[in-house]
Amino acid sequence: MAFSLLSGAQDDGGKGGRERGFLDGQFLIAMPSMQDTNFSRTVIYVCAHSPAGAMGFIINRAQEISFTEVLRHLKLLDEHEIIALPHECLEFPILSGGPVETGRGFVLHSDDFSSESSIPVSDDISLTATLDIIRAICDGRGPSRATMLLGYAGWGAGQLEREISSNGWLNCPASEDLIFGTTLEDKYERALASMGVTPAMLSSDAGHA
């Protein structure tokens, strides 16, 4: 398990030096026609989109690894320190962010935390993929809202645009409540509802927003 910058995921993923892509900070909602089981009924938060490709994180798929297991693996704290952590820290949410580099960790979080490696995704949400945010969370200095993700979803140049055009995804503005909500079972339906859509209304012939 590794925490590192986005260079391995999307070379131009940082927002400091380029204009944001039109899908940055948007949700992708898998359509029933989605053939890839990795993405069936998923909601993905897009963090970087450009002519070179795109990357994002599945926000409605559970991860079996717990935060305490992550801390033990990274050897940031000893066992006594882990046991002494507050309950909200021990229960810190971890999601399966996607099928690419599943051993790599990322933290999506509110913008009230920032480090030298933090990358703004939207006006209110940032991404940090270095150990300083894990230490801050353990010390009670972390962001007010955050979730950890292992792995990510990635697309090559033009791939995501083709998938949207072929009715693989709906896209809509993202919601912080859905990104950071800990109840996963209804995120798919809630994301659709934000567009005024229900699963029953979808078919493989429907268009995209």
Side-chain angles (χ1 to χ4, degrees):
M1 184 181 301
F3 274 76
S4 56
L5 290 175
L6 293 179
S7 57
Q10 179 73 16
D11 289 342
D12 59 351
K15 304 299 182 289
R18 69 166 179 85
E19 185 178 347
R20 292 173 182 170
F22 77 90
L23 287 174
D24 283 17
Q26 292 255 322
F27 280 153
L28 297 174
I29 306 171
M31 288 286 285
S33 57
M34 174 61 65
Q35 299 297 311
D36 189 339
T37 56
N38 286 314
F39 299 114
S40 176
R41 288 182 58 85
T42 58
V43 180
I44 292 179
Y45 181 61
V46 179
C47 291
H49 174 234
S50 78
M55 64 130 0
F57 299 101
I58 299 171
I59 63 159
N60 65 329
R61 188 160 288 176
Q63 173 61 250
E64 294 181 358
I65 299 173
S66 68
F67 188 60
T68 54
E69 288 175 299
V70 169
L71 293 176
R72 290 185 181 103
H73 182 87
L74 296 173
K75 300 180 180 178
L76 289 178
L77 301 175
D78 64 33
E79 195 64 30
H80 295 293
E81 291 172 317
I82 291 174
I83 293 173
L85 289 172
H87 176 76
E88 60 269 20
C89 190
L90 294 174
E91 297 299 318
F92 187 77
I94 302 182
L95 302 180
S96 179
V100 184
E101 294 195 68
T102 55
R104 177 176 286 191
F106 306 82
V107 179
L108 275 174
H109 57 90
S110 50
D111 65 355
D112 52 354
F113 173 90
S114 182
S115 71
E116 291 184 358
S117 60
S118 296
I119 300 171
V121 177
S122 69
D123 291 339
D124 303 308
I125 296 175
S126 296
L127 178 67
T128 302
T130 49
L131 290 175
D132 49 355
I133 192 169
I134 305 300
R135 295 188 180 96
I137 290 168
C138 293
D139 294 342
R141 299 179 290 105
S144 58
R145 306 186 81 177
T147 188
M148 183 186 298
L149 306 109
L150 298 182
Y152 64 91
W155 295 264
Q159 182 183 359
L160 179 55
E161 290 85 348
R162 291 191 295 271
E163 290 181 7
I164 292 174
S165 295
S166 63
N167 199 36
W169 303 97
L170 291 169
N171 65 280
C172 68
S175 158
E176 287 189 45
D177 287 341
L178 281 181
I179 293 171
F180 299 120
T182 56
T183 301
L184 306 182
E185 292 76 11
D186 64 349
K187 281 189 178 183
Y188 184 78
E189 288 78 8
R190 289 170 62 194
L192 288 173
S194 72
M195 305 175 65
V197 175
T198 66
M201 294 167 62
L202 297 179
S203 74
S204 61
D205 298 323
H208 63 79

